[in-house]
Amino acid sequence: VRPRRLEVKTEATRYPVLIGAGVSAELPRLLAEKMGLTGVFLVTDTNVDSLHGDRVMAMLRSAGLPARKLVVPAGERSKSAEQLLRLWRAMVEDGCDRGACVVALGGGVVGDLAGFAAASVLRGIDSIQVPTSLLAMVDASVGGKTGIDLPEGKNLVGAFHQPRAVVMDLDFLATLPERELRSGWAEVIKAAAIRDEGLFRRIEAERVDLLARAPERLAEAIEASVRIKAAVVGADEKESGLRRILNFGHTLAHGLEAVSGYVDLLHGEAVAVGMVFAGELGERLGVTPAGVADRLRALTESFGLPSKSPGGASIGDLLRAMGRDKKRGPGGIHWVILERIGSAVVTDEVPEPVLVSELERFLGETGRASP
Ligand SMILES: NC(=O)c1ccc[n+]([C@@H]2O[C@H](COP(=O)([O-])OP(=O)(O)OC[C@H]3O[C@@H](n4cnc5c(N)ncnc54)[C@H](O)[C@@H]3O)[C@@H](O)[C@H]2O)c1
Ligand SMILES: [Zn+2]
């Protein structure tokens, strides 16, 4: 696979994104570029550690880098204040100073947690993101959002902290469980749906190769979605406007995830359901042309992703959960609607009766109608 190098530019900084098979071999060089590097904290989770931790540590150590490994339990529960505190204390006990650098090796959970630890310890040290899940590559690792969850909800505490570099080694994907891979594809489909009809058509045409993890096709699709994310983030780092279109499919997804207690659905699965619903809502509002929702449904289903709610969520619960979400506007819940495949708008002006009747229809097909 041809290695690729993109650049993310924000107002304050710019950083490279490397994509390719074996590009994690660049890590020692990227770390050595940091002037006065005093320590490297490799943060990973138990799953990724058992598969890749030793190799990455050996690579850092053999380059003479003072590396220390910090492992958190795999799973969303580790995006917690408890694990954050553990990381802070382990780093400080180990003599962490402003010259240290965090390397986040893992999925979005590790990326968000380790990124936030780097953003906050000693008021902020450098970090490098090394995403190992497809979702973390195409979404979580780029853009600088870091943070943890609270019992009250997901991602409620955090900071914007852009990494020094993002290293996407496609070799890691070989060990990613199938269901996690499919969940990642939902975010690629999302990126295409909001910004790039050509990519959407390529995903439709190449889905067999893509699901078989054909390296060159995979690299192309990851590059294309990272470009979309980088362009959107570059134009709106702190999510005051444009960046909100990245939440296409996420309004209902966050509601479904919250109502289900984050156990039944992977994030990408919830996003897949949410995209189909947002397509139907957009058609009902007369913004999205007829047929777009069907196209979204067909594509998500062909990636083995759900297009319907698993059921069990009442409309009242969903509306409450979506209303609590921090992605809401002054007028109400915030929706990203497609004007066509490849172009999205944000609105907080979906009349409540329209929303309720669309939700009833959508959930009625599978789930339980409102009590
Ligand atoms: N910061 C952002 O902009 C942003 C964007 C999207 C999502 N997120 C966050 O990302 C998280 C979801 O990320 P995720 O889907 O990567 O979840 P995750 O980090 O929990 O990873 C999913 C599972 O795959 C395992 N795994 C990861 N890489 C592997 C590999 N190469 N081989 C084998 N197993 C591997 C993990 O151990 C875990 O069990 C959520 O917390 C979400 O809020 C953040
Ligand atoms: Zn998402």
Side-chain angles (χ1 to χ4, degrees), residues 59-247:
M59 178 173 73
L60 298 176
R61 289 223 169 109
S62 70
L65 294 165
R68 154 118 202 254
K69 188 170 75 178
L70 303 170
V71 184
V72 301
E76 181 74 26
R77 273 213 207 100
S78 280
K79 261 174 67 172
S80 64
E82 290 78 6
Q83 291 301 329
L84 180 66
L85 179 63
R86 252 194 73 217
L87 295 181
W88 282 337
R89 297 188 61 186
M91 290 193 278
V92 170
E93 272 163 27
D94 207 61
C96 177
D97 63 18
R98 302 294 297 275
C101 184
V102 167
V103 175
L105 174 75
V109 165
V110 165
D112 281 9
L113 173 70
F116 188 40
S120 49
V121 78
L122 307 178
R123 296 196 189 84
I125 63 173
D126 283 348
S127 65
I128 293 182
Q129 291 282 342
V130 188
T132 60
S133 70
L134 179 59
L135 189 133
M137 289 183 189
V138 299
D139 198 352
S141 63
V142 173
K145 279 195 196 175
T146 69
I148 57 169
D149 304 332
L150 293 180
E152 286 74 16
K154 270 191 60 156
N155 298 323
L156 288 176
V157 178
F160 286 97
H161 189 64
Q162 302 292 343
R164 278 183 74 85
V166 187
V167 178
M168 302 186 185
D169 189 336
L170 304 179
D171 288 347
F172 289 126
L173 296 179
T175 59
L176 188 67
E178 191 64 29
R179 189 174 168 203
E180 297 290 347
L181 186 80
R182 289 171 190 262
S183 173
W185 281 112
E187 298 284 4
V188 181
I189 293 169
K190 174 205 76 183
I194 58 171
R195 286 284 269 202
D196 188 346
E197 203 205 345
L199 175 62
F200 197 89
R201 264 189 266 112
R202 286 208 309 281
I203 301 169
E204 287 175 324
E206 293 170 0
R207 63 178 189 284
V208 175
D209 282 354
L210 291 171
L211 280 169
R213 315 182 195 207
E216 192 62 38
R217 293 285 90 78
L218 199 57
E220 272 166 22
I222 292 172
E223 178 184 4
S225 17
V226 172
R227 271 192 201 286
I228 291 167
K229 175 119 196 214
V232 171
V233 168
D236 176 22
E237 184 177 358
K238 300 277 162 77
E239 191 165 313
S240 46
L242 181 67
R243 189 164 176 168
R244 294 194 178 128
I245 66 170
L246 295 169
N247 293 324

Side-chain angles (χ1 to χ4, degrees), residues 249-261:
H250 283 58
T251 311
L252 181 62
H254 290 146
L256 289 170
E257 289 180 295
V259 165
S260 79

